Structure formats: C-alpha cells, structure tokens
Amino acid sequence: MNDLSKLVLFSSLPSFISSLEATMILMAIPVIAKEFSITYVSASTLLAFYVVTEVLLSIPFSLLAERIGVKKVMVIGTAIMGLSSFLIILSSSFSTILFLRIFQGMGASMVLLTSLSYVSLVGSDEERGKMIGLNHTIVSLGYVLGLPLGGMIAEINWKYLFALTSILSFISLYLLFSLKEIHARSGLGINVIYSSLIFDGAILGLYNPLLFSLSFVGMVMTVWKINLGKGFYLTSLSGFLHSVTRNMIAAFFVFYLYSLHLPALLIGSLVLLYPLSFTFVSFYSGKLHDKYKLKVASLGFASMALSSLSLFLNVILGEILLGASSGIATTSNTAYTMSSVSNKDRIIASGMRSVQGVVSNTIGLIIASYFRVLLFPYIEITVILNLVSLLILGIVNK
C-alpha cells in the first residue's frame, strides 16, 4: 500500500465506523424497545436524534475545520464517537442513552465531512476519482456489514454494538495521529450557514411541514451568496436525486426479503448483494472517472434507470445490477463535484455533500417505509429521478 492509499484508508476509517454504527442500530431498535418497555416508535428516536444532529451540525463544523484544520476536527469527532459509545454501555436509562446519541451524531457529523474533505484535498486532480472511489468503498463497507453484524450482535446483547463502535473509534483515533494536518480557507465565512438551511429545512420539515420553507430560503440565499459554480450545484443536485433512489432501493430489498419469511442467515446474505455490488464497482468507477469524467456518471444514471426494470424479472438480479449501477454513478458524480471547486472551497463543499447524503438517506427510508413491498412505485421513482439526473449532467456538459 502506497502512502497516498494509506492516507485515504486512515481518513476514511472514522466514516466507516459511523456508517457501521448507524446501520447496526436499526437491528437493535426492537430489542431496545422491549428492554425498556417502550414502543418501537419511541425507540426509533435513537435514530432520529442521531440523524437530526448530523444534519444540523455538519456545515457549522465545516467552518470549524477551516479554522483549526481538517485533521483536528476528524480527531475530535472520532474521540466524541468513541467516548459517547462507551458511556452508552454504562447507561441504564433510556433518556440518558438518547442524550448520548446526540453526541454520537455530533461526532459523526465531524468525521463524515472531514473524511471527504481530506480525500479531496490530498493528492492530485488526476487521482481524485480513484481516491474518492476508495473512500466510497471503505465507507459503504460499513453499510454492507452493519445489517448482518447488527442483527447477530443485538441477539446477544445490544450494548455490544456500542462497545464495537467505541473500540473501533479508539483504534481509528490512534491511526489518525499519523496523518498530516490539512488547512483550507474558502473565505465564505458565515454565509455558508445559508446552505445549511436547505438541509435543515428538509429534515425538520419531516416533523413539521411548515419548516420546509427554510429549505426554500436557504436555496435562494445559497445561490445568491455562495459562489461554488454551476458544476458544483448541478452535480450536487443530480447526486442528491440519485442518492434518494439508492437508499430507497436498499430499504426495499430489506423489506422484500423479510416478507418472504426466509431463514435469517439467508436474508442477511441476500441483503448484502446490493451493497457488495456497489462496493466492488465503486473503486473501479473512480479510476474510470479520472479518464472519462462525467461520461462515467452519465452511464451510471442511465444504467440505474434501466436496471430498475430488471426487478420485474428477478429481484436478486436487480440487486446486483442496481448496486453496480449505483457504484458507477455515485463515485464518478461525487468525484466531479469535488473537483469542480477549488482547493480552498473543498472543506465547505464536503460539508454540504455530507449532509446532503444524510438527508437523502432519510428521505429514501421514509419513501420505502411508505411503499414497503409495492414494487411499481420504486421502479417508477428510480427511473424518473435518475433520468432527471442524467438530464442535469447534460446541462453541465454544455
């Protein structure tokens, strides 16, 4: 492993831990609800508090990273994740655990934005696609392993989930100290908070529809006050639309396979086909992007739309094709987005992209929770949103 790959690996590990823990907790919620004699909805606030904290703080923390350095914020975030996870192990009150989940979300918001920032700022533009591909591969492995690992651990003791997060966080913390510090100052200052309103409004609007108005205000003010270029904003939009379908489809496979009442081990194995396909293709997609640029992302969006039709024929085949298509689209589109801004703006851009991913994941899960195993709406939404993403890239290429 060369030095550059080692930098990407070490800086991506905290985000891997965050994605692993965020996925594992889904499998523990029913067990936690039973232990504390609360409803499933009440137990689900463990996930809601975590997500809302991530969304609210990611962009403000990007300002902090500009001021004190990317590595320092990554180290602080990883330490917060490790310590809060450890304290959850010692807690016996649900309200205390809920409070500590806010701190976990705070740590996660720090590592998600700094992970992408670091990868985008080290190395040359010619290798950026490959490095972002490696980052996506590592982070997506967390989602790959989270469901089956979370299910197995939760059956033994749900607190072991947080023990694993804590141990991995402190190991990662040790490795992070070997990284060099990176600084970049965009000069955007407090104006970047306007972009935060877009995503804050989107996530808070799920709880109170009137708060969606914040997104509109944030969008207008962002375009007016923050000049990151047409390429950044348009490919961010195409990536967001695609990400909604990617997460929606991932949840569909979970709902569908569980509805078949297959053995738990078989369900866990089949669920993995989608993220494994994504992970396998993602790294190579990044390398192709370095040579062919947005043509790779365009191929991914088109392939995602067409591959969704395979669900009518065979769901397992659809898992593999859709996972591979998403790996092609996501990595290439993200690589272009980050390359479209100058080095000094990449910390802020990473914060915006990271929180965008959290919001799209939440929206995708909500859509899937509504439709459950009704196949046609998933295919219709996937085709429409990915074709719109493809059209957006056509505008970027003009």
Side-chain angles (χ1 to χ4, degrees):
M1 181 184 296
N2 59 39
D3 290 341
L4 189 56
S5 296
K6 189 180 294 185
L7 290 176
V8 175
L9 174 61
F10 288 179
S11 61
S12 300
L13 186 56
S15 287
F16 162 81
I17 298 167
S18 173
S19 63
L20 179 72
E21 196 277 336
T23 312
M24 288 195 299
I25 191 67
L26 291 172
M27 306 303 291
I29 285 176
V31 180
I32 293 172
K34 183 178 180 181
E35 178 165 329
F36 289 99
S37 300
I38 56 178
T39 65
Y40 182 89
V41 173
S42 296
S44 296
T45 55
L46 290 173
L47 182 60
F49 274 47
Y50 181 90
V51 171
V52 169
T53 304
E54 272 191 299
V55 172
L56 292 177
L57 297 180
S58 286
I59 293 177
F61 279 141
S62 66
L63 290 174
L64 179 64
E66 282 198 331
R67 184 172 295 274
I68 68 174
V70 175
K71 175 186 170 180
K72 285 189 181 70
V73 173
M74 194 185 305
V75 166
I76 293 170
T78 304
I80 291 174
M81 283 201 307
L83 181 59
S84 57
S85 298
F86 177 74
L87 292 175
I88 287 177
I89 302 170
L90 304 178
S91 303
S92 56
S93 163
F94 181 76
S95 59
T96 302
I97 295 171
L98 194 59
F99 177 71
L100 290 170
R101 283 289 286 173
I102 295 175
F103 283 92
Q104 280 193 313
M106 183 186 302
S109 67
M110 290 181 174
V111 301
L112 283 173
L113 78 93
T114 50
S115 172
L116 183 56
S117 297
Y118 205 94
V119 171
S120 299
L121 287 166
V122 297
S124 63
D125 286 338
E126 289 74 22
E127 296 179 296
R128 184 146 294 110
K130 180 176 68 175
M131 291 185 293
I132 289 178
L134 179 57
N135 172 263
H136 275 307
T137 300
I138 295 169
V139 175
S140 63
L141 278 174
Y143 296 108
V144 169
L145 299 174
L147 284 175
L149 193 59
M152 289 186 290
I153 295 176
E155 288 186 6
I156 302 171
N157 188 323
W158 62 268
K159 285 193 174 183
Y160 290 169
L161 301 177
F162 298 101
L164 179 60
T165 300
S166 183
I167 292 169
L168 290 177
S169 293
F170 288 122
I171 292 173
S172 177
L173 193 60
Y174 171 76
L175 297 174
L176 288 178
F177 284 113
S178 66
L179 299 181
K180 62 180 181 180
E181 183 59 275
I182 291 183
H183 292 276
R185 293 294 294 270
S186 67
L188 294 173
I190 199 67
N191 284 335
V192 76
I193 298 299
Y194 293 129
S195 63
S196 183
L197 289 178
I198 300 173
F199 305 107
D200 294 346
I203 198 73
L204 293 174
L206 299 174
Y207 301 94
N208 185 337
L210 290 176
L211 294 176
F212 277 123
S213 60
L214 290 176
S215 290
F216 177 75
V217 173
M219 192 177 303
V220 172
M221 295 302 293
T222 296
V223 174
W224 182 25
K225 293 286 189 178
I226 303 176
N227 182 24
L228 292 178
K230 182 182 75 172
F232 174 82
Y233 288 121
L234 288 177
T235 54
S236 290
L237 177 58
S238 63
F240 178 79
L241 296 177
H242 170 77
S243 186
V244 168
T245 64
R246 183 182 70 239
N247 292 295
M248 175 191 71
I249 289 291
F252 162 73
F253 289 131
V254 175
F255 288 135
Y256 177 81
L257 291 169
Y258 271 97
S259 73
L260 299 180
H261 303 292
L262 300 170
L265 182 60
L266 180 58
I267 291 175
S269 300
L270 292 175
V271 164
L272 290 179
L273 290 175
Y274 180 70
L276 279 175
S277 300
F278 177 97
T279 301
F280 179 79
V281 171
S282 183
F283 176 67
Y284 295 100
S285 172
K287 296 178 70 173
L288 286 172
H289 174 85
D290 290 331
K291 184 175 182 180
Y292 298 107
K293 305 304 178 186
L294 275 184
K295 291 179 181 178
V296 180
S298 298
L299 173 64
F301 292 142
S303 179
M304 189 76 173
L306 291 173
S307 295
S308 66
L309 300 177
S310 67
L311 292 174
F312 285 127
L313 302 176
N314 186 285
V315 170
I316 303 303
L317 174 64
E319 273 197 274
I320 297 170
L321 293 177
L322 285 164
S325 298
S326 186
I328 295 170
T330 301
T331 303
S332 176
N333 193 80
T334 303
Y336 182 90
T337 302
M338 297 309 299
S339 296
S340 68
V341 297
S342 62
N343 278 356
K344 66 183 179 65
D345 292 327
R346 282 182 183 158
I347 295 177
I348 295 300
S350 296
M352 294 172 68
R353 286 287 305 196
S354 297
V355 73
Q356 170 190 309
V358 176
V359 174
S360 64
N361 178 61
T362 304
I363 293 174
L365 290 176
I366 289 173
I367 293 173
S369 298
Y370 180 78
F371 291 117
R372 306 288 290 187
V373 294
L374 295 175
L375 184 57
F376 182 75
Y378 288 98
I379 295 174
E380 184 178 32
I381 294 171
T382 301
V383 170
I384 291 173
L385 292 188
N386 279 278
L387 288 181
V388 171
S389 296
L390 187 61
L391 289 173
I392 291 171
L393 291 195
I395 297 172
V396 175
N397 281 321
K398 283 185 177 180

